[in-house]
Amino acid sequence: MPRSTEKRPIITDINPKSPISEAYRTLRTNIEFSAVDEQLKVIMLTSAGPGEGKSTTATNLAVAYAQTNKKVLIMDADLRKSTMHHTFLKTNRSGLTNILVGQMTWEQAVQPTDIPNLDLLTAGPVPPNPSELLASQRMSALLEELKGHYDIVIVDTPPVLVVTDAQVLSTKCDGVVLVIDSGKVKREVAMKAKSNLDHVKVRILGVVLNNLDRKNGGSYYYYYYGGDR
Ligand SMILES: Nc1ncnc2c1ncn2[C@@H]1O[C@H](COP(=O)(O)OP(=O)(O)OP(=O)(O)O)[C@@H](O)[C@H]1O
Ligand SMILES: [Mg+2]
C-alpha cells in the first residue's frame, strides 16, 4: 500500500491514557514552559530528513493542545508531500495553496476535524513553486490573521535539508520543534539541520528524539530536549 493512503491512527485521540499520549502532553508542557512570558502561538515542526516523524509529532501535539480546550489549527505546509488530509480523513481538494494564490479565504479553506477544538488546513493542490508561496507576503498575512483566531497554530513542513521550504517558513513562526529519528539520523546531519535554522535566526524550542523501534512491534520512544536560544 502506498504510504500516502496508509492508515494513520492518532494515538492521543484514540488512547489518551497511554504512556505515548502522556509523552506528547509532556512535550506540550515543555513547550509552554519554554516561553512563559512570550507569545508562542505558531509552532513549526520539522526535521533534517524525510520520514523522521514530523507529521506524526505535529498531529499528536495539536491534539494534546486541543485537549486543554485551546482553539487549535493544524496546518499542512508540506506542500510537496502532504499527509494531514489522510490523517484526519478529510478532502484536500482545496487548502493552503488556494489561499496563497488568492482563490480563497482561510475561513473557506479550513475544515473542522472530528476532534473538539481542532481545525485543519490541508495543503491543497500541489503548486509548481512551493517555496515561493511559503515565502510570500500572503503567507505572513495569513499567519497573522490565524493568530487572531486560534490560540495555537501547529505547522507541519518538509525536511530542512531537502528543500528550503521549512527554513523559509520558520522565520514566520514563533518557534520550531526539530524532530530527529535518533535511530536513523547521524548527529552531524541533525546538527546541520539545526545550523540551517540558526542561520535564519529562528527560535528552536526543543528537539524531539523520535525513535521508531520496529523490532518491538512498532512502539517508540521519544525524548525532548529544551532548546537553547
Ligand atoms: N513515534 C512513532 N511511532 C510509530 N510510528 C511512527 C512514529 N513516528 C512516525 N511514525 C511512522 O513513521 C512514518 C513516517 O512518519 P511521519 O509521516 O510522521 O514522518 P515525516 O517526518 O512527516 O515524513 P515526511 O518527511 O515524509 O513528511 C509514518 O508511517 C508514521 O506513522
Ligand atoms: Mg510529513
Side-chain angles (χ1 to χ4, degrees):
M1 201 195 300
R3 175 182 272 191
S4 59
T5 54
E6 264 172 28
K7 263 189 105 185
R8 291 175 160 258
I10 306 171
I11 187 144
T12 38
D13 182 42
I14 57 176
N15 195 354
K17 294 213 167 86
S18 73
I20 296 173
S21 300
E22 181 57 36
Y24 284 114
R25 287 193 290 275
T26 304
L27 173 61
R28 179 197 67 206
T29 308
N30 285 342
I31 292 173
E32 284 166 347
F33 281 159
S34 72
V36 177
D37 287 330
E38 310 153 58
Q39 200 197 44
L40 194 61
K41 281 203 158 185
V42 182
I43 301 169
M44 188 187 104
L45 282 286
T46 195
S47 63
E52 295 195 57
K54 296 175 286 299
S55 302
T56 307
T57 309
T59 302
N60 285 289
L61 181 62
V63 172
Y65 269 112
Q67 287 168 344
T68 60
N69 284 327
K70 288 208 158 81
K71 208 165 158 34
V72 183
L73 177 74
I74 183 156
M75 175 191 287
D76 195 341
D78 188 342
L79 303 181
R80 300 163 196 264
K81 210 164 130 192
S82 54
T83 52
M84 285 301 165
H85 52 289
H86 293 305
T87 305
F88 291 96
L89 308 174
K90 297 290 168 188
T91 171
N92 189 31
R93 263 196 304 275
S94 54
L96 177 58
T97 54
N98 301 88
I99 304 173
L100 296 179
V101 298
Q103 292 170 340
M104 270 188 178
T105 64
W106 67 266
E107 288 96 334
Q108 290 168 324
V110 164
Q111 310 176 58
T113 69
D114 298 333
I115 295 167
N117 307 315
L118 182 60
D119 285 353
L120 169 68
L121 180 55
T122 63
V126 181
N129 52 347
S131 316
E132 211 178 300
L133 283 185
L134 295 173
S136 66
Q137 205 38 56
R138 268 213 182 99
M139 185 69 197
S140 309
L142 172 64
L143 288 173
E144 280 311 310
E145 264 190 69
L146 292 173
K147 278 190 200 180
H149 193 79
Y150 290 95
D151 297 314
I152 298 286
V153 179
I154 303 286
V155 182
D156 187 27
T157 65
V160 175
L161 297 185
V162 179
V163 287
T164 58
D165 303 18
Q167 206 179 355
V168 159
L169 200 49
S170 65
T171 62
K172 302 178 191 292
C173 298
D174 299 328
V176 174
V177 174
L178 195 58
V179 180
I180 295 175
D181 184 334
S182 55
K184 190 171 87 179
V185 170
K186 291 211 169 66
R187 185 188 151 83
E188 308 84 78
V189 175
M191 291 308 288
K192 173 86 179 98
K194 183 176 178 295
S195 84
N196 281 16
L197 294 169
D198 285 340
H199 186 67
V200 290
K201 298 197 167 34
V202 302
R203 173 150 185 211
I204 298 182
L205 298 168
V207 172
V208 170
L209 291 186
N210 192 26
N211 186 359
L212 193 56
D213 182 359
R214 294 199 170 85
K215 274 179 290 187
N216 292 331
S219 67
Y220 76 100
Y221 311 93
Y222 80 56
Y223 195 78
Y224 176 84
Y225 285 116
D228 47 328
R229 300 193 64 183

